[in-house]
Amino acid sequence: MKKALSIFLVLMLTLSLVVGCSAPAPTTTETPAPAAPEAPAASDTGIVKMGIGHSTSIAKSKDLGTDKDGKEVLPLGQVDTVIVAAAFDKDGKVVSVTIDNAQTKVNFDNKLQLTSDPKGEYKTKVELAGEYGMIKASSIGKEWYEQAAELEKWMIGKTLDEIKAMKTKQRDEAHPAVPDVPELASTVTITIQDYVGALEEAYNNAVEIGSGAEKLGLGHNIAIGKSKGLATQDGKEVLPLAQVDTVMAAAAFDKDGKVVGVVIDNAQTKIQYDKDGKVTSDKNAEYKTKVELGMEYGMVKASTIGKEWFQQIAELEKWMVGKTVEEIQGMKTKAKDEAHPAVPDIPELTSSVTVSVEHYTEAVAEAFDNAK
């Protein structure tokens, strides 16, 4: 009995010692807390650069005359301006792209009088949509705007070099570069060389923009109001002129609808005729926009502030950044004369912008509506 009690007491004492002692702390290497993530830089948001590219041709303009069947051909001033707005990421890949084509026709009768409405609304191929009428001749049953949209989708996520390397084929003389890749075989049969060329220009001219850009849009405004028929003024002969002014604006917007970056330009294209209705302008020439002309545009000579058009538009672009479309269109303006009905009348721009801005603000507003 005593022996059993002794064994019991020894066991209880041992147990109490084990329970009462603390377990030794494990010897481990302390893992440092992860560093707080840095605020995303502009490159992390996707869009870091944006640009606008374009090309203008008057090659399809016509003289007054007759065709091979002896049928009368009336004078036509046709200006085709391809426009591409594009946004790129830090690796040069396309994040957003919009392709359009302003195919504007100025018609005259056989007396060289203007028959197109000088105050009319002139639409691009995208705006015309089904009215453009290409679907009638399409082998794949798709209208121009639908095919352009498919080409845009294909470009997303690719670099300029990858896009330029696309395999193409010549369908006929008017279609020398139709896509020849499986992804586009059933969706794009238009020739794409001008659109790829305009995208390349957009990339080469791209400007860096701040962080937060989520969408990019393209807006435009087309007018033929300065076109003229044959006339006599102050005893002098005034020759026919087809003039097409194509304003274009690419704009990037943040989640609050504020402008993060904007590029504005104007293709002021003139097609001159002689008194017999023959086109005297070079149909194969390169036609530049006002920005491309730079100091050659020649506005500085008449400028009260000593600034050329491209310099003034750059100041307007700077002013737009950080503002919503409503704030931009709410800018106070004044009429300088009949040709300048909306010159900025705010302290920030009075010494830097004397051009009339209504068409430029309208184009940015349209860019917002079209942003994607």
Side-chain angles (χ1 to χ4, degrees), residues 343-357:
V343 175
D345 189 23
I346 54 176
E348 308 97 289
L349 295 178
T350 50
S351 64
S352 57
V353 180
T354 57
V355 294
S356 197
V357 300

Side-chain angles (χ1 to χ4, degrees), residues 124-361:
T124 64
K125 290 184 180 182
V126 167
E127 289 174 318
L128 285 167
E131 293 175 36
Y132 181 59
M134 194 184 80
I135 197 169
K136 299 170 187 175
S138 173
S139 60
I140 57 173
K142 286 187 179 290
E143 190 48 86
W144 189 93
Y145 77 97
E146 295 174 307
Q147 298 197 34
E150 293 295 333
L151 180 60
E152 291 166 358
K153 285 182 197 172
W154 180 85
M155 289 178 169
I156 299 295
K158 294 180 177 65
T159 64
L160 176 63
D161 288 340
E162 289 171 331
I163 291 167
K164 288 176 66 177
M166 179 205 297
K167 186 181 177 185
T168 61
K169 62 185 178 184
Q170 180 168 352
R171 195 175 81 199
D172 51 42
E173 190 175 345
H175 299 81
V178 174
D180 190 20
V181 292
E183 309 96 286
L184 298 178
S186 63
T187 56
V188 180
T189 58
I190 55 178
T191 192
I192 63 164
Q193 73 279 0
D194 292 338
Y195 310 127
V196 174
L199 177 69
E200 181 172 16
E201 184 178 286
Y203 180 80
N204 290 338
N205 295 337
V207 295
E208 291 188 6
I209 59 176
S211 61
E214 294 195 350
K215 292 184 177 182
L216 180 80
L218 173 64
H220 29 64
N221 185 292
I222 303 168
I224 69 161
K226 293 180 181 177
S227 299
K228 303 171 185 176
L230 181 65
T232 302
Q233 187 174 354
D234 300 327
K236 294 182 179 179
E237 186 176 56
V238 177
L239 294 173
L241 167 70
Q243 179 170 325
V244 178
D245 291 275
T246 307
V247 168
M248 57 197 90
F253 302 91
D254 67 14
K255 62 182 177 59
D256 299 316
K258 291 182 179 179
V259 173
V260 180
V262 60
V263 178
I264 299 169
D265 208 343
N266 189 338
Q268 187 180 75
T269 311
K270 299 178 181 181
I271 304 171
Q272 307 275 357
Y273 288 83
D274 65 18
K275 63 180 181 179
D276 298 316
K278 304 291 184 185
V279 174
T280 56
S281 298
D282 184 354
K283 291 185 180 181
N284 298 312
E286 176 189 3
Y287 288 86
K288 296 180 179 180
T289 64
K290 289 184 180 182
V291 168
E292 289 173 320
L293 285 168
M295 298 303 293
E296 292 177 35
Y297 182 58
M299 194 182 80
V300 73
K301 299 171 187 174
S303 173
T304 57
I305 58 173
K307 287 185 180 290
E308 191 48 85
W309 189 92
F310 77 96
Q311 296 170 315
Q312 297 197 33
I313 214 66
E315 293 296 329
L316 180 63
E317 292 167 353
K318 286 181 197 172
W319 177 84
M320 289 179 171
V321 172
K323 295 178 176 64
T324 64
V325 166
E326 290 76 14
E327 289 170 330
I328 291 168
Q329 292 196 301
M331 178 205 302
K332 185 182 177 186
T333 61
K334 62 184 178 183
K336 188 170 76 177
D337 51 43
E338 190 175 345
H340 299 81
V343 175
D345 189 23
I346 54 176
E348 308 97 289
L349 295 178
T350 50
S351 64
S352 57
V353 180
T354 57
V355 294
S356 197
V357 300
E358 70 278 14
H359 297 317
Y360 310 128
T361 56

Side-chain angles (χ1 to χ4, degrees), residues 74-152:
L74 296 176
L76 167 69
Q78 181 168 322
V79 177
D80 291 278
T81 298
V82 167
I83 313 167
V84 174
F88 306 91
D89 70 10
K90 62 184 176 62
D91 299 316
K93 292 180 179 179
V94 175
V95 178
S96 177
V97 59
T98 298
I99 299 169
D100 209 343
N101 191 333
Q103 188 179 75
T104 311
K105 299 179 181 182
V106 182
N107 292 285
F108 298 86
D109 63 19
N110 57 12
K111 297 188 186 315
L112 307 184
Q113 299 304 301
L114 190 66
T115 57
S116 294
D117 183 358
K119 296 181 179 179
E121 178 187 5
Y122 292 87
K123 297 179 179 181
T124 64
K125 290 184 180 182
V126 167
E127 289 174 318
L128 285 167
E131 293 175 36
Y132 181 59
M134 194 184 80
I135 197 169
K136 299 170 187 175
S138 173
S139 60
I140 57 173
K142 286 187 179 290
E143 190 48 86
W144 189 93
Y145 77 97
E146 295 174 307
Q147 298 197 34
E150 293 295 333
L151 180 60
E152 291 166 358

